[in-house]
Amino acid sequence: MKEKTDSKLVSLSGQAANDSCCGDGRQNESLPEITNVLETTESATCDFEVGGMDCPSCADDITRALSKLEGIQGVRVDVVGGRVRVAYADGKLARGDLAGAIRRVGYQVTDGESKQASFIVEGMDCADEVRQIEDKLGRLPGVTNLAFDLINRRLKVEGTITSPEIQRAIKEIGMTALSEGEERRELSFWERRGRLVVTVVSGIFLALGVALEWTGASEYVAAPLLAISIISGGWFIAPRGFRAARNLALDMNFLMTVAAIGAAAIGEWSEGASAMFLFAVAQLLETYSMDRARNAIKALMDLSPTEATVKRNGCEEIVSVAEVQIGETIVIRPGQKIPLDGTVLTGHSAVNQAPITGESIPVDKEPGGEVFAGSINEQGALEVRVTKLVEDTTLARIIHAVEEAQSSRAPSQTFVDRFSRIYTPTLVGLAILVIVFPPLLGLGSWGEWFYRSLAMLVIACPCALVISTPVSIVSGLAGAARGGVLIKGGAHLETAGAVTIVAFDKTGTLTKGKPAVTDVVSLDGSGEIELLRIAAAVEQGSEHPLARAILARANEQKIELPVSTGFEALVGRGARAVVEGKTIFLGNERLCREQNTCTPDSEMLLRLFENEGKTGVLITTEKEPLGVIAIADEVRPEAKRAIESLKASGVRKVLMLTGDNLGTARAVAEQLEIDEYYAELMPDDKVRIVRELEEKGERVAFVGDGVNDAPALATASVGLAMGAAGTDVALETADIALMSNDLTRLGFAIRLSRKTLSIIKQNIWFSIGIKAVFLVLALFGYATLWIAVASDMGASLLVIINGLRALKTRE
């Protein structure tokens, strides 16, 4: 639930100053007070925009984090405005120190003086490496924000720090950072297959050593073989571990290295070798599993061809899509993928848009129709005028949004990161206590408790726990994108999984947003076709939406219209014209009464259509009514199925919020079996209703068109926009965007979000549970070293495999 809170000013003594935010969320004029907290010390002030603050405890977290720094004079946190102002002793602290302190407690920081740089980090394969980079760069002055995309090995750094400084710092912890776009060198055989080679060598020598032990061979014969197994298995692991320790990070590589060396030191050579070999195997399997997750995103990138056939100077040329300019004509033959967004100039075809919009049925395209990069031309040849460059296509924007979403932290991921930072040091400390106190108390030998502590060191690394959320989130985002649903981040994915109420806008969302003729009733016996012919003849000179609906119906039925003259629009009532020598009036009941041409039958029809949510248009002569044409904004054919699907997905209630009249709202709500509806609303009223529901503890998803409903979309827990494949606005404003106008995608989006949220919870509790079980077993001597390794790495692999299930959510 979103809460408003007053901003706080905290002085050096920790006292909160009486300095609140203005009622509308703007900062008030008392800001200068912060710079005068300690006038005797030369001070500086800086402001940051901070993302992720939504309650008073967030302000307390940030205040505590900053107050721990020496030289802080005052902190002012404006939760509503998302701003933090800090006063500090000039010379003692830098902007990067302040931003780093805020970032380390889980919030995103934007510094007006910052620049952003993106890197591909070779060697960033698991959560341990992410934490090492975070700890290393987080301590550097000039770093204000870090964003990690583990799946694609991408790192984004914001701050005043230079790229060479970042690359140098990452190299110190054993990884290589390449600026995004920088050409990557070809890897040698050892770099590509070295891990596999040393793991196989480790396994062979482990098997030989264990076999010799079983045959009763001397320890002096078996131990060298097992030592080779430990060294080869740890060839890549130990250097990483020691680099991590040098940077004060206790990662799994270091803990495993210590465990293996410790086992060898007490004569448990086979245990140490087994543990190191299993860990090496697990890292290979984890890399393979992570590659599967990476391939889910890569599959999106591979949708669009890299070349296009362009017509230039009367000839066709095959060129790179990057060379094609807006306005050029490209040719797409049957079976080919469309390389760029554009408008059809010539040709007719059925185009499979499923990769972009999720629509299962190919869409017919003719001149004037819009096509998207990545979709497939199934039948005829098309000539298309390019409307967007390769970097601006709908597919490119989808991929960019998915990549950005992977970098954003979901609430569960923030919890896991905070938990793991406490968990590992605590268990390492407990392992040290286990070595010392039980032997001193006479509860066993030093060797026995030393061995148990080694098993605890293995359990101390939270690999499965840390990887449990990112892999699930990425799978969910990629699975959604495949199904034509763009989710803008892990936080929105999790929130959508907890939605209890879905509120719809009516016009253009539940309905087609375009008036259409639904009924034609003749009152003079001339018939429907004749009534349409006369009415359409009158409306030939009108631009009114109802007139366009009547003309469209006449055009559908290929009715030849007579010439009309003397057209006159009657403001607020209708129109009149002379058709075939007769003056014809077309309009509402008020016009009918003015002409005194109403009859009981015409009035009964008007009441009937009004109750059905339709607009009745009367057609009369100067003396009598000819008939009534009913016009309505038709309900989308899939709307009822979509609402049923939402309820089947666990949504408790479906609402409709509309600015339309009460009769129309009632008719649509009854037709679609909507639980509650609100009519005649202004945009502010929609915001108020959404806010009231959320204040009652509901999680509300609002579904709109992404333009008129922007305030309600922003207020709701989750804003969903439809038809985003054709609009830039929807992609920018909504938390979740449906790439087509198919409402049934909503049910899929909610089911996928719920499934992903369920998988995340399963992974977190499974990871914590398995650690707790084996911690107890290790403490009481029932878990050997290799079993501890197997359980830890097995848990990591299981949570990755479980997380990948989100890719296969049923549609």
Side-chain angles (χ1 to χ4, degrees):
M1 185 173 68
K2 298 175 181 176
E3 301 177 49
K4 281 193 174 183
T5 182
D6 288 341
S7 55
K8 286 187 176 181
L9 170 60
V10 179
S11 69
L12 191 63
S13 63
Q15 299 284 327
N18 186 16
D19 180 23
S20 64
C21 193
C22 298
D24 61 359
R26 292 177 287 107
Q27 290 183 350
N28 61 26
E29 298 303 317
S30 60
L31 279 176
E33 293 178 18
I34 195 167
T35 62
N36 299 322
V37 176
L38 287 179
E39 295 184 1
T40 56
T41 305
E42 187 176 348
S43 63
T45 305
C46 63
D47 296 295
F48 300 100
E49 290 183 16
V50 179
M53 298 191 298
D54 54 15
C55 63
S57 63
C58 300
D60 294 336
D61 287 345
I62 291 170
T63 301
R64 278 195 297 270
L66 289 168
S67 298
K68 291 176 182 177
L69 300 177
E70 185 181 353
I72 293 292
Q73 297 175 353
V75 179
R76 184 179 190 273
V77 182
D78 174 6
V79 174
V80 177
R83 291 182 288 269
V84 174
R85 174 168 286 189
V86 187
Y88 59 98
D90 197 14
K92 284 192 175 183
L93 293 166
R95 295 178 71 94
D97 300 324
L98 308 175
I102 299 171
R103 183 181 51 74
R104 282 192 290 274
V105 289
Y107 299 94
Q108 295 178 339
V109 183
T110 302
D111 182 350
E113 298 180 3
S114 293
K115 293 178 290 184
Q116 187 181 84
S118 295
F119 302 89
I120 301 299
V121 182
E122 293 179 352
M124 189 173 74
D125 294 315
C126 76
D128 277 336
E129 279 89 15
V130 169
R131 182 169 292 115
Q132 285 180 49
I133 295 171
E134 196 168 21
D135 289 341
K136 182 71 174 179
L137 296 182
R139 290 194 291 266
L140 296 179
V143 174
T144 57
N145 199 45
L146 298 172
F148 295 91
D149 174 4
L150 178 59
I151 302 301
N152 292 306
R153 297 190 178 100
R154 183 178 285 106
L155 164 66
K156 288 187 178 180
V157 183
E158 289 183 18
T160 55
I161 190 170
T162 64
S163 292
E165 287 178 295
I166 295 167
Q167 292 171 313
R168 196 159 46 246
I170 292 175
K171 189 172 184 179
E172 288 175 7
I173 52 177
M175 288 173 264
T176 303
L178 301 173
S179 295
E180 197 160 22
E182 182 180 340
E183 188 174 346
R184 300 175 69 176
R185 63 184 178 81
E186 188 174 346
L187 299 178
S188 66
F189 173 81
W190 182 251
E191 289 171 317
R192 286 183 287 108
R193 294 285 183 263
R195 282 181 177 272
L196 178 61
V197 170
V198 296
T199 302
V200 170
V201 170
S202 176
I204 291 170
F205 280 93
L206 172 63
L208 291 173
V210 171
L212 287 173
E213 283 188 339
W214 283 349
T215 58
S218 167
E219 180 183 342
Y220 296 105
V221 177
L225 298 177
L226 294 170
I228 294 172
S229 176
I230 292 173
I231 293 168
S232 55
W235 191 264
F236 290 97
I237 295 166
R240 278 194 169 187
F242 289 125
R243 277 193 296 266
R246 195 168 63 242
N247 287 281
L248 304 178
L250 299 175
D251 76 338
M252 190 62 180
N253 295 293
F254 176 72
L255 296 175
M256 275 303 311
T257 302
V258 170
I261 293 172
I266 60 174
E268 297 287 349
W269 288 96
S270 59
E271 288 280 344
S274 299
M276 191 60 86
F277 169 70
L278 285 172
F279 184 63
V281 169
Q283 286 203 328
L284 282 176
L285 293 175
E286 189 173 299
T287 299
Y288 168 75
S289 300
M290 291 296 285
D291 284 341
R292 282 197 60 192
R294 290 187 181 104
N295 290 338
I297 302 300
K298 188 174 181 295
L300 290 175
M301 299 178 182
D302 291 341
L303 286 174
S304 183
T306 56
E307 294 181 328
T309 303
V310 187
K311 292 187 76 173
R312 290 175 177 169
N313 302 320
C315 300
E316 293 184 4
E317 296 179 30
I318 297 176
V319 300
S320 167
V321 289
E323 297 176 22
V324 182
Q325 300 300 310
I326 292 173
E328 290 197 281
T329 300
I330 57 175
V331 179
I332 303 103
R333 293 186 170 79
Q336 291 183 337
K337 287 183 178 180
I338 295 173
L340 296 159
D341 288 6
T343 303
V344 177
L345 294 175
T346 62
H348 293 76
S349 182
V351 174
N352 180 358
Q353 297 185 161
I356 308 300
T357 65
E359 294 168 287
S360 57
I361 299 172
V363 179
D364 291 332
K365 298 293 180 181
E366 56 187 22
E370 191 175 20
V371 294
F372 305 114
S375 50
I376 303 165
N377 181 25
E378 295 199 340
Q379 293 178 352
L382 295 174
E383 289 191 5
V384 173
R385 183 174 62 82
V386 175
T387 57
K388 290 181 181 175
L389 298 175
V390 63
E391 62 267 21
D392 298 323
T393 65
T394 298
L395 178 61
R397 288 185 289 125
I398 291 171
I399 293 169
H400 176 70
V402 171
E403 289 175 342
E404 288 292 310
Q406 290 177 62
S407 300
S408 65
R409 292 196 177 192
S412 59
Q413 192 170 346
T414 302
F415 158 76
V416 166
D417 288 348
R418 289 180 178 178
F419 177 84
S420 61
R421 285 185 179 276
I422 299 169
Y423 171 82
T424 300
T426 301
L427 250 67
V428 170
L430 184 60
I432 294 170
L433 294 177
V434 163
I435 296 173
V436 177
F437 285 101
L440 290 177
L441 296 173
L443 299 176
S445 67
W446 289 95
E448 177 188 346
W449 286 102
F450 182 73
Y451 182 82
R452 293 183 188 184
S453 72
L454 294 178
M456 290 177 66
L457 283 181
V458 173
I459 296 166
C461 190
C463 280
L465 181 62
V466 173
I467 203 66
S468 62
T469 300
V471 73
S472 305
I473 292 289
V474 169
S475 298
L477 294 173
R482 285 180 179 181
V485 178
L486 180 60
I487 302 176
K488 304 282 279 294
H492 303 310
L493 182 67
E494 286 194 20
T495 304
V499 161
T500 56
I501 292 178
V502 176
F504 286 91
D505 170 49
K506 180 185 75 70
T507 306
T509 303
L510 290 172
T511 64
K512 293 180 179 178
K514 188 167 67 174
V517 172
T518 59
D519 304 88
V520 181
V521 181
S522 172
L523 293 173
D524 68 344
S526 61
E528 293 182 7
I529 299 296
E530 178 63 16
L531 184 64
L532 259 178
R533 189 179 78 91
I534 298 298
V538 173
E539 297 287 32
Q540 285 180 96
S542 175
E543 290 298 321
H544 194 280
L546 299 184
R548 288 200 293 269
I550 292 172
L551 286 166
R553 180 65 171 267
N555 186 52
E556 282 175 16
Q557 298 194 5
K558 296 182 170 56
I559 297 172
E560 190 172 334
L561 303 182
V563 176
S564 63
T565 58
F567 174 83
E568 182 184 357
L570 305 173
V571 179
R573 294 166 292 163
R576 71 179 171 194
V578 177
V579 180
E580 296 178 338
K582 293 181 182 178
T583 300
I584 304 296
F585 293 86
L586 186 148
N588 56 23
E589 187 175 8
R590 178 183 166 191
L591 179 61
C592 178
R593 291 189 184 283
E594 285 180 1
Q595 299 300 315
N596 199 27
T597 53
C598 289
T599 65
D601 286 346
S602 67
E603 290 185 350
M604 181 190 71
L605 280 171
L606 288 174
R607 298 290 86 75
L608 175 66
F609 291 141
E610 184 180 339
N611 290 335
E612 292 178 353
K614 301 172 183 176
T615 300
V617 178
L618 275 161
I619 298 92
T620 73
T621 64
E622 292 177 305
K623 297 179 181 179
E624 62 180 356
L626 300 178
V628 181
I629 295 176
I631 298 174
D633 183 5
E634 288 184 295
V635 170
R636 293 182 183 275
E638 78 279 8
K640 191 168 185 178
R641 282 188 294 115
I643 290 170
E644 291 170 352
S645 174
L646 285 172
K647 291 183 176 179
S649 300
V651 173
R652 193 173 58 78
K653 190 184 291 185
V654 175
L655 311 182
M656 182 176 71
L657 310 181
T658 179
D660 213 336
N661 65 72
L662 188 61
T664 302
R666 183 190 303 113
V668 172
E670 289 175 354
Q671 183 179 346
L672 297 179
E673 298 180 7
I674 288 172
D675 299 307
E676 293 179 19
Y677 61 91
Y678 299 80
E680 301 173 5
L681 300 175
M682 297 296 288
D684 287 350
D685 297 322
K686 295 180 182 180
V687 170
R688 175 180 52 78
I689 292 168
V690 169
R691 187 171 287 142
E692 287 172 356
L693 290 169
E694 296 213 332
E695 286 172 353
K696 293 176 183 176
E698 304 285 0
R699 289 291 184 94
V700 181
F702 185 86
V703 188
D705 61 11
V707 181
N708 298 330
D709 298 308
L713 284 167
T715 304
S717 299
V718 182
L720 295 100
M722 292 180 56
T727 64
D728 293 336
V729 176
L731 274 174
E732 294 299 324
T733 59
D735 301 320
I736 299 176
L738 309 185
M739 302 311 293
S740 70
N741 282 319
D742 182 3
L743 280 173
T744 58
R745 298 286 89 195
L746 284 171
F748 165 69
I750 296 297
R751 282 195 304 276
L752 182 140
S753 298
R754 292 198 190 289
K755 180 176 180 179
T756 305
L757 185 58
S758 174
I759 288 171
I760 289 170
K761 289 178 178 177
Q762 290 168 14
N763 283 349
I764 289 174
W765 288 114
F766 172 75
S767 303
I768 292 174
I770 206 79
K771 291 290 184 184
V773 168
F774 278 90
L775 176 61
V776 172
L777 291 175
L779 198 57
F780 288 95
Y782 293 108
T784 62
L785 198 58
W786 71 268
I787 288 178
V789 175
S791 70
D792 187 82
M793 294 299 104
S796 296
L797 294 173
L798 285 174
V799 298
I800 291 172
I801 293 167
N802 193 37
L804 291 172
R805 288 197 301 118
L807 282 169
K808 299 181 179 179
T809 302
R810 63 183 179 84
E811 297 191 16

